[in-house]
Amino acid sequence: MRYFNTAGPCRPDIHYMLSPVERLPGVRRLIDQQAYFVLHAPRQVGKTTLMLTLAQQLTAEGRYTAALLSLETGAPFTDDPRTAEQEIIRAWRIALAAQLPPEQRPAWAETTGVPDLSLSEALAQWARSAGRPVVAFLDEIDALQDNALVSVLRQLRAGYPSRPQSFPWSLALIGLRDVRDYKVASGGSDRLHTASPFNKMDALTLGDFTFDEVAALYRQHTAETGQVFTDEAVAYAYELTHGQPWLVNALARQATEFIQPDPSQPITRDHIEEAKWALIDRRDTHLDSLAERLNEQRVRDIIAPMLAGELLADVSDDDRRYVLDLGLCRLSPAGGLEVANPMYREVIARMLVFPTRAFLPHIPATWLNEAGQLVPERLLERFLSFWWRHGKPLLRSASYPEIAPHIVLMAYLQRVENGGGRVTREYAVGTRRMDVCLAYGEVTVGMALKVWRDGEADPEKEGLEQLEAYLAGLGEQAVGWLVIFDQRRGQPPVAERTRAYAATTPGGRRVTVVRA
């Protein structure tokens, strides 16, 4: 029985999968034109599956000899290109044995030791001996850096004029970014600016699934097991992931194998919701590796103002492309940057909160009544007391000082969440706020977080308007807080300026304003 794959390339005999070649129809034309091209896309969207499947198809059709070969084993030898090449060729020998019959492999692939060859010599020998035009897909080009990367690119450029008799007919470099956007330490801050054969016009990218593709993937499970995904479940899975392939598969796997494994029962929206939180709480490798990028300064320069809802300032085009290439952000329909999907949005916030949570003192759950229900007034009182005593030192623990107040409040709320609630966040460039929702049993508290900085007007009026709009989506019974963090210079100590008072939104809704 097939299953939803979340680790490694997909195989049609054991995994539910969409036709990878159909997701990038233009690639066959480039190969037939003897093109050398780049395929770049975020991790775990299907690049390796696509190119491995395509290589198998090309070889089976009989016109070409094609294989997917990785460059990753050369990564530890950044400053020793020769050793990097030997390790890469060692890995290629194993890959070619798995993908091609003996008569289509080069002689060096049949040896027992490591051949004393450069990569260009290895490719040239393969092209001369294969008996068919060779198509080489070189995966994980982004694993190489500095001298090793430059050496590989120069060898490919030098061998290009010898194709197809003495060099691959067509060749693709596969990685996170267009190879022209890579930087090398040996070249300072300049990009590679690689010339032919890797022309900018022949840089392809692989996008996320469309809604119809998500539905088609889930229908494969229904056809095989009889278990149905309701329309609401499919729509919610797409809403949470925006079609990111790993997330689409991970939600379905969690729902079908662990939450509702009985195939006679349908997968509902509630099952997808439960799967979402399981993945977020578990922080699988895909989510963890993505979150690690938050420590990079160029990512931080974009994510920090985005969390606060502020406009991006002085961000280079290269940094914008970088977060897009990582799959961390996307261009919104309005044209601005936003976090790529709601699940990433929640993971990012939780990862940034994690260091501060370790510094929190023990906080008894005194915001609950005898029946275990959340009492918003008690929660507000406890938070104010906490902020008076611990706010200032905790601000220094935040991983992003630019949004330290937001992080401390979110860390506090996650302690509340651990008792049985759920915290979700919404944020986007240009909104000048972060929205936070705490759901605990039947009680929902919606919060708009704003920062008051030097040279700006008091944000209360704007914040009340925004909070009213946010609460409208949470229901009539939702409790509303407008939390204003005063970050202007020369303000009284936190304990003196922190207070809360009742206010009314323009539409007449009673809420609480917190000044901190």
Side-chain angles (χ1 to χ4, degrees):
M1 181 179 294
R2 294 187 298 165
Y3 58 91
F4 291 101
N5 183 34
T6 59
C10 290
R11 290 172 42 190
D13 57 328
I14 60 174
H15 300 136
Y16 302 124
M17 60 180 290
L18 303 172
S19 170
V21 179
E22 290 180 8
R23 295 180 62 199
L24 204 68
V27 71
R28 289 296 295 262
R29 173 181 52 81
L30 290 176
I31 292 169
D32 290 340
Q33 293 175 348
Q34 300 187 40
Y36 277 39
F37 60 97
V38 175
L39 172 63
H40 65 96
R43 293 201 183 282
Q44 295 182 300
V45 300
K47 301 187 298 296
T48 302
T49 295
L50 163 65
M51 303 312 277
L52 182 59
T53 302
L54 180 57
Q56 293 168 345
Q57 290 182 3
L58 292 172
T59 301
E61 289 168 5
R63 180 179 175 185
Y64 301 109
T65 289
L68 176 71
L69 306 173
S70 176
L71 298 166
E72 187 174 14
T73 53
F77 309 100
T78 294
D79 296 321
D80 186 357
R82 192 60 175 163
T83 301
E85 291 179 38
Q86 290 180 333
E87 291 303 316
I88 289 169
I89 291 174
R90 190 196 305 273
W92 284 8
R93 188 171 55 199
I94 297 172
L96 288 171
Q99 296 180 50
L100 296 176
E103 64 272 14
Q104 294 181 34
R105 303 176 206 157
W108 55 260
E110 304 301 314
T111 61
T112 56
V114 179
D116 185 20
L117 297 171
S118 66
L119 289 191
S120 59
E121 290 170 334
L123 290 171
Q125 288 188 19
W126 184 21
R128 288 193 292 265
S129 64
R132 304 177 188 174
V134 165
V135 178
F137 300 140
L138 306 188
D139 202 1
E140 302 287 353
I141 180 63
D142 47 284
L144 300 182
Q145 297 181 28
D146 301 336
N147 293 333
L149 174 60
V150 171
S151 175
V152 169
L153 293 176
R154 286 176 175 170
Q155 290 183 62
L156 297 180
R157 188 159 57 235
Y160 178 75
S162 301
R163 79 198 204 290
Q165 290 81 13
S166 296
F167 219 63
W169 165 284
S170 178
L171 186 145
L173 294 178
I174 307 162
L176 287 176
R177 311 193 71 191
D178 185 341
V179 70
R180 295 170 70 96
D181 291 331
Y182 282 99
K183 297 180 180 180
V184 291
S186 58
S189 61
D190 293 334
R191 289 197 294 271
L192 288 170
H193 298 294
T194 51
S196 178
F198 297 101
N199 195 301
K200 186 73 174 178
M201 65 181 295
D202 292 335
L204 307 179
T205 189
L206 189 62
D208 292 331
F209 293 156
T210 65
F211 174 82
D212 289 341
E213 287 174 330
V214 174
L217 183 70
Y218 287 2
R219 282 198 298 270
Q220 291 182 24
H221 176 76
T222 302
E224 189 144 323
T225 68
Q227 187 173 44
V228 174
F229 283 80
T230 67
D231 291 344
E232 293 78 9
V234 177
Y236 191 46
Y238 184 74
E239 176 187 334
L240 290 175
T241 65
H242 288 171
Q244 203 287 328
W246 186 90
L247 290 175
V248 168
N249 277 278
L251 284 175
R253 180 174 181 267
Q254 186 71 26
T256 58
E257 294 187 20
F258 303 102
I259 296 173
Q260 183 51 273
D262 182 354
S264 68
Q265 300 299 313
I267 300 298
T268 67
R269 187 186 190 280
D270 288 344
H271 293 133
I272 298 297
E273 173 75 3
E274 187 176 345
K276 175 191 79 171
W277 288 113
L279 296 179
I280 290 172
D281 291 341
R282 196 167 64 219
R283 275 175 46 188
D284 283 358
T285 301
H286 171 79
L287 300 177
D288 224 14
S289 60
L290 190 72
E292 285 180 5
R293 300 286 185 169
L294 300 176
N295 296 321
E296 299 181 26
Q297 187 62 48
R298 54 182 169 173
V299 174
R300 177 178 180 157
D301 290 343
I302 291 173
I303 295 299
M306 188 178 291
L307 280 162
E310 298 176 355
L311 294 174
L312 303 181
D314 301 324
V315 176
S316 70
D317 288 340
D318 184 64
D319 289 349
R320 293 174 191 268
R321 283 199 302 272
Y322 182 63
V323 296
L324 290 171
D325 289 343
L326 288 177
L328 193 61
C329 295
R330 69 168 191 160
L331 289 174
S332 71
L337 278 181
E338 63 181 13
V339 175
N341 56 66
M343 289 194 66
Y344 285 179
R345 187 170 62 213
E346 191 63 34
V347 169
I348 288 171
R350 286 171 181 268
M351 284 295 295
L352 295 180
V353 165
F354 185 77
T356 299
R357 284 185 62 192
F359 287 95
L360 291 183
H362 173 68
I363 306 174
T366 52
W367 46 77
L368 303 178
N369 62 19
E370 294 75 11
Q373 299 168 325
L374 178 70
V375 181
E377 296 78 12
R378 290 188 188 177
L379 176 61
L380 178 59
E381 179 184 338
R382 302 302 184 270
F383 173 71
L384 292 176
S385 176
F386 163 82
W387 189 259
W388 289 329
R389 289 184 292 170
H390 306 291
K392 184 175 180 179
L394 283 173
L395 291 176
R396 294 193 292 268
S397 72
S399 52
Y400 278 29
E402 309 92 324
I403 52 168
H406 301 69
I407 290 175
V408 174
L409 174 58
M410 290 190 293
Y412 184 88
L413 292 175
Q414 281 187 219
R415 285 288 180 89
V416 180
E417 177 187 65
N418 289 344
R422 278 297 180 192
V423 177
T424 54
R425 301 117 174 126
E426 295 182 16
Y427 47 89
V429 170
T431 61
R432 292 174 53 85
R433 76 183 194 275
M434 175 194 286
D435 293 331
V436 178
C437 177
L438 169 63
Y440 200 109
E442 301 298 319
V443 179
T444 300
V445 182
M447 310 171 202
L449 314 185
K450 296 185 71 70
V451 175
W452 189 0
R453 304 189 189 280
D454 287 320
E456 298 177 350
D458 188 333
E460 180 172 328
K461 181 177 183 294
E462 180 185 43
L464 288 172
E465 294 173 352
Q466 294 171 339
L467 179 60
E468 181 174 56
Y470 181 49
L471 293 175
L474 299 180
E476 288 295 325
Q477 302 304 314
V479 176
W481 295 359
L482 170 61
V483 184
I484 300 174
F485 296 111
D486 195 338
Q487 297 291 287
R488 295 175 298 161
R489 290 189 294 269
Q491 294 305 300
V494 169
E496 295 181 19
R497 70 174 185 260
T498 300
R499 68 191 191 280
Y501 53 88
T504 304
T505 66
R509 191 159 185 162
R510 296 291 289 173
V511 298
T512 298
V513 176
V514 179
R515 299 271 185 171

